[in-house]
Amino acid sequence: MERMLQYTEAIREAADQEMERDESVLVFGLDVDDPKAIQGTAKGLLSKFGAERVFGTPLSEDAMTGAAIGMALAGLRPIHVHIRMDFLMLAMNQLVNVAAKSRYMFGGKVSIPMVVRSMIGKSWGQGAQHSQGLYSFFMHVPGLKVAAPTTPYDAKGCLIAAIRDDNPVMYVEHRILHFQKGPVPEALYTVPPGKARITAKGTDVTLVGISYMQVECLRAHHYLAETGIGAEVIDPIWLNPLDIETIVESVRKTGRLFVVDNGWTTCGASAEIAAQVVEALQGVRDIRVKRMGFASVTCPTTPPLEDLYYPNARTIAAAAHSMVNGASKEWMPEERKDLQSIEFKGPF
Amino acid sequence: MERMLQYTEAIREAADQEMERDESVLVFGLDVDDPKAIQGTAKGLLSKFGAERVFGTPLSEDAMTGAAIGMALAGLRPIHVHIRMDFLMLAMNQLVNVAAKSRYMFGGKVSIPMVVRSMIGKSWGQGAQHSQGLYSFFMHVPGLKVAAPTTPYDAKGCLIAAIRDDNPVMYVEHRILHFQKGPVPEALYTVPPGKARITAKGTDVTLVGISYMQVECLRAHHYLAETGIGAEVIDPIWLNPLDIETIVESVRKTGRLFVVDNGWTTCGASAEIAAQVVEALQGVRDIRVKRMGFASVTCPTTPPLEDLYYPNARTIAAAAHSMVNGASKEWMPEERKDLQSIEFKGPF
Amino acid sequence: MYEKFYRSLYRIRRVEERIAEVYPTDKIKSPVHLSIGQEAVSVGVCEALRPDDVVFGTYRSHALFLAKGGNLKAMIAELYGKATGAARGKGGSMHLIDLEAGVLGTSAVVGTTIPNAVGYAYAIKYRRENRLVVSFLGDGGTDEGVFQESLNFAALKKLPIIFICENNGYAIHTHQRLRHPALNICERARVVGMPAERIEDNDTIRIFERVKNAVDLIANGAIGPHFLECMTYRWKEHVGPNEDYQLGYRSKDEAEPWIRNDQVIKIGALLGEKEKRAIEDAVDAEIADAFACADADPFPEESELFTDVFK
Amino acid sequence: MYEKFYRSLYRIRRVEERIAEVYPTDKIKSPVHLSIGQEAVSVGVCEALRPDDVVFGTYRSHALFLAKGGNLKAMIAELYGKATGAARGKGGSMHLIDLEAGVLGTSAVVGTTIPNAVGYAYAIKYRRENRLVVSFLGDGGTDEGVFQESLNFAALKKLPIIFICENNGYAIHTHQRLRHPALNICERARVVGMPAERIEDNDTIRIFERVKNAVDLIANGAIGPHFLECMTYRWKEHVGPNEDYQLGYRSKDEAEPWIRNDQVIKIGALLGEKEKRAIEDAVDAEIADAFACADADPFPEESELFTDVFK
Ligand SMILES: Cc1ncc(C[n+]2csc(CCOP(=O)(O)OP(=O)(O)O)c2C)c(N)n1
Ligand SMILES: Cc1ncc(C[n+]2csc(CCOP(=O)(O)OP(=O)(O)O)c2C)c(N)n1
Ligand SMILES: [Mg+2]
Ligand SMILES: [Mg+2]
């Protein structure tokens, strides 16, 4: 029988096994060594590997990111952990101006094998500054790889691939995905950069769901099935390098691209995917394109507005339905218990 | 006769006149008060308005951006100047997490009337860390306006509009545009957010040129005219709010959208414009879409590679030509003296 | 004076205890960082301020908000996500604001309001106004580079600002000892030439007096920033309504002296029993009313999702 | 010892003078931040280092690169944008590197290499290697928050690193006086418990001795970071080959004592005339050769535009 693990446990195991395998791997960041160990993703690592390899830091995101780069220059493979992606805004100078550029601007003389883990928050009033999915920034800048695994299987495989990669990898987690359970082999394996996965088959519309929105897209697939619409769902897994071919092939078949992102649409991952698919299929076949993401506002904390702020399975299904059947045929599925979102309960 | 001013002088005049008009306007940032006065854009302001209203700062981009926000909260209208856009990576936390969000997350109780001026560098080996056009970051985040004027006229009008705007405005300059001369009225006027300009008429292809690439697009228009191709050139001027209607209307006519950006294409302004135009015209007419921007690499310093890194009038014209006439008919215009780029001479 | 102090201390304590009681009902779908045990700092500081002085705080600012005179109903409604909230339900517990009371805003990203406060102080000086800014920060906030940058600029420009470092020993579960080579936050202020002092005992009156002294100095034109490190202690978990001694990162023993020095009790003891009771009754009624209102108030309309991105 | 010092000082001076001479021909299409006048710091420090010690620097690092043993031909070729350059022509003057010589990289954004150096030092300690890192920074670099964050962490973890603040008084045209309330950079290091000293006179030998002392302390296991502020002076403009006294932000008078104390002349005077001449001749020939090679070397192939984004 397949071994089932929670997403957080898959991350923990990947780090644990890689640290066992390779002395140059270390984990640090605010609170990785505290009793909560970043939702358990770093649990037990301190006692197993010691305080030189697993350590909490002062609140100094800028310097600690710079330090991670310095460690990588010296041949270590640091995993730098941030409990919120929002906090990476303090580290942008080192990420964009140094990590992404060092190899190129030094003519290939160095490489920066570092992993930056960060989490996207959602719900329970996390609000303006604890909920952003800002990975399009990292997609924009050449020299950074970006992984956004959605299943425990991919969480483990992407993290191992990221650790072994000789380049800086931004590893994007989502607080709600942390609760996902799924099959995870005990053995070491990688989910390598640049390969997307078709997670549900269909011929009417291609749903690309990024990060947590992958889960909502899979739920939307079920809602849509009720109306006879076959949605092909794709999980890009890696946003850079991006496996655009798999998406293009699907849209070549379905004629409809619907990208649902876990971030804002403007200059976001959904804009890029839409543009690339159009570029690839123009003159080949007439297609329809749609994007959905966070509402173009700051994330509000009050639940009724927050509900509207995020796409969900039903709003996704409704939009896909009108792509297929025309906007005139309005339809919104009744909420199904088995397809409800996990309700995250605070404090945080 | 029309009064001709250089771009830098247009900026200086806008600040000068607004400071005269409104005591709450002040200018600060590294080196605004030094003998070079940011390429002359702040020249004379110190002696006219005094050191409390015009001051250099320590090298503390993060805190000084936070301070600008604090001044704006108190009702001042600070203009914070950065000699390179790359340095804004040190200020991302305050820009993205505070400036963009304050009004919304405080339920409309406050506003942040601040202007952030920053310059994009080009050529003479400015390289990896002095050449980035990172404005798509600011387009991505709700709550920030973005202006990227290309003419002296717009430089003045946008800066005045930005100063008077009650929201944070990212005002994007380009080092090469600083040398542009053009007609600039002495009177105060605004070039308000959200209105693009058609800078050359044509019916065969729509060229959207952003920031400095607007200049290259206008040159490309001339090259293309030699082959009988009419390129309609559009300058968005403001990237947020973006006047997509003007672009859509043009593409509705030409059937071809070609966005040339002064930044990377992935998740960039060109991706967004392409996606929005496709969304607007799908099912209305079949169109062709193309994007061009910095090569997807870090900016190299050596001239031969740097030349390849940037789009220019001839490569733009060649690409537009093949959009119109098919890729089989390859064409590259002979360089024309009158359409050559300004050669920037260092040291910087 | 003691009545005012007591009223403020008791009110803050009771509001937060009430939040902790309500929390399990999930009516407050907002992270709450309680100040229980630390009230003396906010009260001591704010009692020394004038109405038009302004404060900036952190995500742990219920106490500051109330001590500075922030609207209680608006605060509770905000926690409940209601349209009547201080931020119309869009900000939650971590983004409190009350412009009339001079609460200029709080932030969920550590250290971010420090330079905002400095900029505000610049505006005050620029306009020759006779008021000042107080910037509240945690010991964790001093780790961030922006702290040093902000203090340097405030000192360079001799701005009318007081920095209050509420040192409760911990950033979440990590003691200052594990983040700083030396426990000398005041030195980090003195290095830019700023007068700095440390108040060891979480004593409301001493805090009040020392802040009053700084306010007077600034008001009398002996301008320039001041720095106070107020040692204090958080009784509850970092975020949420419970205690957390079971986690093992700190011991109940460590907390004991702080709890014995409970300022609500100490200052209360300076009042007559009747006087005290009258204050408590009035405050209890006010709090009950605030929670009832918050409960009854409407959520924002759907259309509010799109308002207030831009002015 | 003096021969080595002189050779290094003279070589750096002559290389930069040659750069300034060539500059008007536009063969060097790269901004150049010359160290002329400041060579003593790089030479004094690097002579005290062991070959496997490593250095990180700023955009003003010609002197550091050469003093640490970086390849001269590769440096000049880099300035010329040639494929034989230290960074294959992709980095220019501001991004010099020579891994064999232990020059780990320089950066155009002020302050950025400080934490990189700290991270490298962490790796050295982690691996129990007996070597150390030197982080070069300007006085302007100390303004950035990352400076304080980096020093705090280096001290907290007792890392084998020496910080060299090359204080030439100015960040571009802005004196330290206009950026710091007090001229006490060493205090900013001491605040995290780091031993710090200031060397006033730009004296190569004193700098050498003090760094040697710190290197020995670290090597002998009296581990922990050290900080040195080396007062020095830039003779030329901030960027470019010329002087800039006409700009008015500083006077030639201010420069005079520094120029009188020219270390190239002073250390040269310690040698015999013949000895000195022999060194100069050899260096001159080496430099002539380096510039000739750079001139003759090929530019990178077009295909190189796309290489080395990722490994
Ligand atoms: C920049 C940043 N980094 C990390 C966090 C996560 N975080 C939230 S509170 C906190 C501890 C802050 O400690 P302190 O400043 O002492 O305030 P206290 O909670 O003790 O009142 C941390 C690390 C954050 N919110 N912002
Ligand atoms: C973060 C950042 N801000 C501003 C600049 C622009 N700039 C380039 S050099 C410089 C001055 C730095 O002074 P210092 O550190 O003393 O070095 P020096 O040039 O004197 O060697 C400034 C402000 C920059 N490169 N990086
Ligand atoms: Mg604390
Ligand atoms: Mg300097």
Side-chain angles (χ1 to χ4, degrees):
Chain A
M1 217 189 69
E2 279 177 320
R3 199 179 62 136
M4 302 296 278
L5 285 189
Q6 194 165 323
Y7 192 109
T8 44
E9 174 58 22
I11 289 177
R12 204 209 61 75
E13 184 171 275
D16 188 348
Q17 293 178 332
E18 284 293 286
M19 290 177 82
E20 248 177 35
R21 196 187 55 79
D22 181 352
E23 280 231 322
S24 62
V25 180
L26 30 79
V27 174
F28 71 93
L30 272 167
D31 309 318
V32 299
D33 59 350
D34 85 357
K36 302 213 167 163
I38 314 288
Q39 272 86 255
T41 58
K43 203 161 177 163
L45 300 181
L46 171 61
S47 60
K48 184 161 171 185
F49 298 106
E52 272 192 327
R53 287 185 76 182
V54 181
F55 58 94
T57 72
L59 287 81
S60 304
E61 285 82 357
D62 187 2
M64 295 318 304
T65 305
I69 293 168
M71 293 176 203
L73 281 170
L76 298 185
R77 296 184 171 270
I79 305 173
H80 187 193
V81 186
H82 300 262
I83 199 145
R84 305 283 166 187
M85 181 174 275
D86 315 69
F87 305 158
L88 292 181
M89 294 304 95
L90 285 158
M92 287 300 276
N93 183 48
Q94 288 290 337
L95 293 171
V96 170
N97 287 333
V98 185
K101 296 183 167 47
S102 288
R103 183 168 179 78
Y104 194 92
M105 79 184 181
F106 291 128
K109 297 278 166 71
V110 300
S111 59
I112 312 286
M114 69 191 263
V115 181
V116 179
R117 283 181 50 200
S118 69
M119 275 138 257
I120 302 168
K122 184 179 181 224
S123 72
W124 206 265
Q126 315 225 2
Q129 300 173 329
H130 277 53
S131 62
Q132 294 170 91
L134 296 165
Y135 36 79
S136 70
F137 290 3
F138 308 117
M139 296 171 69
H140 184 58
V141 180
L144 299 172
K145 295 189 178 177
V146 184
T150 62
T151 64
Y153 179 88
D154 290 340
K156 178 171 177 181
C158 285
L159 187 53
I160 295 173
I163 292 168
R164 297 182 186 180
D165 203 286
D166 282 329
N167 304 288
V169 179
M170 307 300 299
Y171 181 93
V172 178
E173 303 166 36
H174 191 290
R175 203 65 183 76
I176 306 285
L177 291 175
H178 275 178
F179 300 100
Q180 296 279 318
K181 291 200 173 82
V184 177
E186 194 166 346
L188 285 165
Y189 61 91
T190 63
V191 173
K195 192 76 203 84
R197 180 177 298 121
I198 297 171
T199 53
K201 284 280 184 188
T203 52
D204 299 318
V205 56
T206 301
L207 278 180
V208 179
I210 298 174
S211 181
Y212 172 65
M213 286 301 151
Q214 174 63 208
V215 174
E216 296 291 353
C217 284
L218 284 172
R219 291 184 183 128
H221 169 90
H222 290 294
Y223 281 124
L224 287 164
E226 292 175 13
T227 72
I229 293 174
E232 182 136 304
V233 183
I234 297 179
D235 183 349
I237 309 174
W238 287 83
L239 296 170
N240 186 24
L242 177 68
D243 177 7
I244 198 68
E245 290 76 24
T246 295
I247 300 171
V248 167
E249 281 322 300
S250 174
V251 180
R252 190 195 297 274
K253 180 175 68 181
T254 63
R256 296 184 188 92
L257 170 69
F258 185 4
V259 188
V260 188
D261 195 8
N262 198 78
W264 292 297
T265 56
T266 307
C267 296
S270 66
E272 181 60 27
I273 292 171
Q276 285 196 33
V277 171
V278 166
E279 285 162 348
L281 292 179
Q282 57 189 338
V284 177
R285 81 162 284 182
D286 185 32
I287 65 170
R288 292 292 172 276
V289 169
K290 190 170 174 58
R291 295 181 286 162
M292 211 164 167
F294 296 169
S296 278
V297 304
T298 295
C299 181
T301 46
T302 185
L305 297 188
E306 202 195 40
D307 283 349
L308 297 169
Y309 176 78
Y310 290 108
N312 62 50
R314 292 167 65 232
T315 58
I316 295 166
H321 183 274
S322 77
M323 269 186 101
V324 176
N325 293 332
S328 58
K329 297 227 183 69
E330 256 192 55
W331 169 79
M332 173 66 77
E334 289 298 314
E335 177 129 35
R336 262 171 54 182
K337 272 260 154 53
D338 61 325
L339 298 179
Q340 254 173 0
S341 313
I342 305 169
E343 255 307 316
F344 176 74
K345 250 186 76 68
F348 234 18
Chain B
M1 217 189 68
E2 277 178 322
R3 198 179 63 136
M4 302 295 280
L5 286 188
Q6 193 165 325
Y7 193 109
T8 45
E9 174 58 22
I11 289 177
R12 205 208 61 75
E13 183 171 276
D16 189 349
Q17 293 178 334
E18 283 294 285
M19 290 178 82
E20 248 176 36
R21 196 187 55 79
D22 182 351
E23 281 231 322
S24 64
V25 180
L26 31 79
V27 173
F28 70 94
L30 272 167
D31 309 318
V32 299
D33 59 350
D34 84 0
K36 303 216 166 160
I38 314 289
Q39 273 86 254
T41 58
K43 203 162 177 160
L45 300 181
L46 171 61
S47 60
K48 182 162 173 186
F49 299 106
E52 271 192 328
R53 286 184 77 182
V54 180
F55 58 95
T57 71
L59 286 81
S60 303
E61 285 82 358
D62 187 3
M64 294 318 305
T65 305
I69 294 169
M71 292 177 203
L73 281 171
L76 298 185
R77 295 182 172 271
I79 306 174
H80 187 194
V81 186
H82 300 261
I83 199 146
R84 305 282 165 187
M85 182 174 274
D86 315 68
F87 306 158
L88 291 181
M89 294 304 95
L90 285 158
M92 287 299 278
N93 184 48
Q94 288 290 337
L95 294 171
V96 170
N97 287 333
V98 186
K101 295 182 168 48
S102 287
R103 184 167 179 79
Y104 194 93
M105 78 185 181
F106 292 127
K109 298 278 166 75
V110 300
S111 59
I112 313 284
M114 70 191 262
V115 181
V116 180
R117 282 182 51 200
S118 68
M119 275 138 256
I120 301 169
K122 186 181 179 222
S123 70
W124 206 265
Q126 316 225 1
Q129 300 173 329
H130 276 53
S131 63
Q132 293 170 94
L134 297 165
Y135 37 78
S136 70
F137 289 3
F138 307 118
M139 296 170 69
H140 184 60
V141 180
L144 299 172
K145 295 190 179 177
V146 185
T150 63
T151 64
Y153 179 89
D154 290 341
K156 178 170 176 181
C158 284
L159 186 53
I160 295 174
I163 292 168
R164 296 181 187 179
D165 203 286
D166 282 329
N167 304 288
V169 179
M170 308 301 298
Y171 181 93
V172 178
E173 302 165 37
H174 192 289
R175 203 64 184 75
I176 306 285
L177 291 175
H178 274 179
F179 300 100
Q180 295 279 317
K181 292 200 171 82
V184 178
E186 194 165 346
L188 285 164
Y189 61 92
T190 62
V191 174
K195 192 75 202 84
R197 179 177 299 123
I198 297 172
T199 53
K201 284 280 183 189
T203 53
D204 298 319
V205 55
T206 301
L207 279 180
V208 178
I210 298 174
S211 182
Y212 172 65
M213 286 302 151
Q214 173 63 207
V215 174
E216 297 290 353
C217 283
L218 284 172
R219 292 186 184 128
H221 170 88
H222 290 295
Y223 281 122
L224 287 165
E226 292 174 13
T227 72
I229 293 176
E232 181 137 304
V233 183
I234 297 179
D235 183 348
I237 308 174
W238 287 84
L239 296 170
N240 186 23
L242 176 69
D243 177 6
I244 197 70
E245 289 75 25
T246 296
I247 300 171
V248 167
E249 281 322 300
S250 175
V251 179
R252 190 195 297 274
K253 180 176 68 181
T254 64
R256 295 183 189 92
L257 170 69
F258 184 4
V259 187
V260 188
D261 195 7
N262 198 79
W264 292 296
T265 56
T266 307
C267 297
S270 66
E272 182 59 27
I273 292 172
Q276 286 196 33
V277 171
V278 166
E279 285 162 348
L281 292 179
Q282 57 188 340
V284 177
R285 82 162 284 182
D286 186 31
I287 65 170
R288 292 292 173 275
V289 169
K290 188 167 176 59
R291 296 182 285 163
M292 212 164 167
F294 297 169
S296 278
V297 304
T298 295
C299 181
T301 46
T302 185
L305 297 189
E306 201 195 40
D307 283 349
L308 297 170
Y309 176 78
Y310 290 109
N312 62 50
R314 293 167 64 230
T315 57
I316 293 166
H321 183 275
S322 78
M323 270 186 99
V324 176
N325 292 333
S328 56
K329 297 227 182 69
E330 257 192 55
W331 169 80
M332 173 66 77
E334 288 298 312
E335 177 129 36
R336 264 171 54 181
K337 272 256 154 56
D338 61 325
L339 298 180
Q340 253 173 0
S341 312
I342 305 170
E343 254 308 314
F344 176 74
K345 251 187 75 69
F348 233 17
Chain C
M1 186 169 89
Y2 297 145
E3 298 93 83
K4 272 191 75 192
F5 285 23
Y6 183 66
R7 182 177 178 281
S8 188
L9 286 166
Y10 177 78
R11 186 161 169 265
I12 293 168
R13 174 69 57 85
R14 281 301 299 142
V15 166
E16 291 212 309
E17 284 174 349
R18 190 78 194 104
I19 289 169
E21 282 161 32
V22 170
Y23 212 69
T25 66
D26 290 355
K27 286 188 176 172
I28 298 173
K29 285 204 176 65
S30 181
V32 289
H33 301 78
L34 302 181
S35 297
I36 291 178
Q38 305 188 191
E39 302 90 343
V41 184
S42 290
V43 172
V45 171
C46 291
E47 289 296 330
L49 300 182
R50 297 149 306 177
D52 59 352
D53 293 333
V54 303
V55 300
F56 286 80
T58 73
Y59 49 86
R60 190 185 308 286
S61 284
H62 297 165
L64 173 60
F65 180 93
L66 295 173
K68 186 63 176 65
N71 186 305
L72 172 63
K73 278 191 180 176
M75 177 178 126
I76 303 302
E78 188 58 36
L79 269 59
Y80 276 66
K82 298 304 178 74
T84 47
R88 302 196 57 79
K90 287 174 165 178
S93 163
M94 302 196 291
H95 302 297
L96 297 174
I97 191 161
D98 189 326
L99 294 182
E100 283 89 71
V103 181
L104 255 290
T106 66
S107 171
V109 183
V110 171
T112 42
T113 60
I114 306 172
N116 303 155
V118 167
Y120 199 104
Y122 191 91
I124 286 177
K125 184 171 184 204
Y126 175 73
R127 293 207 185 105
R128 311 277 184 278
E129 295 170 351
N130 185 18
R131 52 191 193 116
L132 57 77
V133 180
V134 181
S135 168
F136 278 75
L137 53 127
D139 51 295
T142 68
D143 301 9
E144 294 284 356
V146 75
F147 167 74
Q148 206 66 39
E149 291 183 356
S150 300
L151 264 63
N152 181 67
F153 184 75
L156 183 71
K157 297 294 180 185
K158 303 198 176 59
L159 302 181
I161 184 166
I162 301 172
F163 297 94
I164 300 291
C165 176
E166 257 181 286
N167 189 345
N168 61 10
Y170 292 90
I172 308 188
H173 311 118
T174 304
H175 197 274
Q176 190 194 345
R177 224 180 293 117
L178 302 170
R179 299 179 284 113
H180 293 188
L183 304 188
N184 61 349
I185 288 176
C186 281
E187 287 303 323
R188 293 176 180 219
R190 288 190 194 113
V191 105
V192 296
M194 200 181 289
E197 58 186 301
R198 172 152 143 170
I199 300 170
E200 300 287 350
D201 56 2
N202 198 35
D203 184 281
T204 316
I205 295 164
R206 196 185 326 279
I207 294 168
F208 165 78
E209 285 168 354
R210 298 314 302 151
V211 174
K212 189 88 184 50
N213 175 58
V215 170
D216 290 345
L217 282 172
I218 293 175
N220 295 338
I223 42 164
H226 284 67
F227 190 93
L228 274 98
E229 181 182 11
C230 299
M231 307 309 287
T232 186
Y233 203 78
R234 161 171 60 77
W235 296 4
K236 299 279 185 177
E237 59 190 337
H238 167 71
V239 56
N242 305 306
E243 295 194 339
D244 69 354
Y245 300 100
Q246 80 290 353
L247 287 180
Y249 73 95
R250 60 176 183 173
S251 68
K252 187 87 197 217
D253 282 0
E254 187 184 78
E256 278 309 337
W258 298 96
I259 294 173
R260 270 201 308 278
N261 183 32
D262 185 347
Q263 290 293 297
V264 179
I265 294 173
K266 290 244 164 131
I267 302 287
L270 302 173
L271 306 186
E273 195 48 50
K274 232 182 85 185
E275 213 179 344
K276 188 161 166 268
R277 176 60 56 90
I279 290 173
E280 291 171 1
D281 288 347
V283 166
D284 289 349
E286 186 200 2
I287 294 174
D289 183 42
F291 277 82
C293 286
D295 216 358
D297 283 344
F299 284 107
E301 301 287 331
E302 291 202 353
S303 62
E304 282 225 34
L305 179 65
F306 296 103
T307 57
D308 291 327
V309 177
F310 290 119
K311 182 169 176 183
Chain D
M1 186 169 89
Y2 295 145
E3 297 95 81
K4 272 190 76 193
F5 284 24
Y6 183 65
R7 181 176 181 279
S8 188
L9 285 166
Y10 177 78
R11 186 163 170 263
I12 293 169
R13 174 69 57 86
R14 281 300 300 140
V15 166
E16 291 212 309
E17 284 174 350
R18 190 80 194 104
I19 289 170
E21 282 160 31
V22 169
Y23 211 70
T25 67
D26 291 355
K27 286 189 177 171
I28 298 173
K29 284 203 177 69
S30 182
V32 289
H33 301 77
L34 301 182
S35 296
I36 291 178
Q38 305 188 192
E39 301 91 343
V41 185
S42 290
V43 173
V45 171
C46 290
E47 289 297 329
L49 301 181
R50 298 150 304 178
D52 59 351
D53 293 333
V54 303
V55 300
F56 285 80
T58 72
Y59 48 86
R60 190 185 308 287
S61 285
H62 297 165
L64 173 60
F65 181 92
L66 294 173
K68 186 64 175 65
N71 186 305
L72 172 62
K73 278 191 179 175
M75 178 179 124
I76 304 302
E78 188 58 37
L79 268 59
Y80 276 67
K82 298 305 178 73
T84 47
R88 301 197 58 79
K90 287 173 165 178
S93 162
M94 302 196 290
H95 302 298
L96 297 174
I97 191 161
D98 189 328
L99 295 181
E100 283 89 69
V103 180
L104 254 290
T106 67
S107 171
V109 183
V110 172
T112 43
T113 59
I114 306 172
N116 302 155
V118 167
Y120 200 104
Y122 191 91
I124 286 177
K125 185 172 184 203
Y126 175 71
R127 292 206 185 106
R128 310 279 185 275
E129 294 170 352
N130 185 18
R131 51 192 194 117
L132 56 78
V133 180
V134 181
S135 168
F136 277 76
L137 53 127
D139 51 294
T142 68
D143 301 10
E144 295 284 356
V146 74
F147 167 73
Q148 206 65 38
E149 290 183 357
S150 299
L151 264 64
N152 182 67
F153 185 74
L156 184 70
K157 297 294 181 186
K158 302 198 175 60
L159 302 181
I161 184 166
I162 302 172
F163 297 94
I164 301 290
C165 177
E166 256 180 287
N167 189 345
N168 60 10
Y170 292 91
I172 308 188
H173 312 120
T174 304
H175 197 273
Q176 189 193 346
R177 222 180 294 115
L178 302 170
R179 298 179 284 113
H180 293 188
L183 304 189
N184 61 349
I185 288 176
C186 281
E187 286 304 321
R188 293 176 182 220
R190 288 192 193 112
V191 105
V192 296
M194 200 181 290
E197 58 185 303
R198 173 153 144 167
I199 300 170
E200 300 287 350
D201 56 2
N202 198 37
D203 185 279
T204 317
I205 295 163
R206 197 185 326 280
I207 294 168
F208 166 78
E209 285 168 354
R210 298 315 301 151
V211 174
K212 190 86 185 50
N213 175 57
V215 170
D216 290 345
L217 282 172
I218 293 175
N220 296 337
I223 42 165
H226 285 67
F227 191 92
L228 274 97
E229 182 183 10
C230 300
M231 306 310 286
T232 186
Y233 203 77
R234 160 171 60 75
W235 296 4
K236 300 279 186 177
E237 59 190 338
H238 168 71
V239 57
N242 304 307
E243 296 195 338
D244 69 353
Y245 300 101
Q246 80 289 354
L247 287 179
Y249 73 95
R250 61 174 182 173
S251 68
K252 186 88 196 215
D253 282 0
E254 188 184 79
E256 277 311 337
W258 299 96
I259 294 173
R260 270 202 307 280
N261 184 32
D262 185 348
Q263 291 294 297
V264 179
I265 294 174
K266 291 244 165 130
I267 302 287
L270 303 174
L271 305 188
E273 195 48 48
K274 232 183 85 185
E275 212 180 344
K276 188 160 165 270
R277 176 60 57 88
I279 289 173
E280 291 171 1
D281 288 347
V283 165
D284 289 349
E286 186 200 2
I287 293 174
D289 183 43
F291 277 81
C293 286
D295 216 359
D297 282 345
F299 284 108
E301 301 287 332
E302 292 202 352
S303 62
E304 281 225 36
L305 179 65
F306 295 104
T307 57
D308 291 326
V309 177
F310 289 120
K311 182 170 178 183

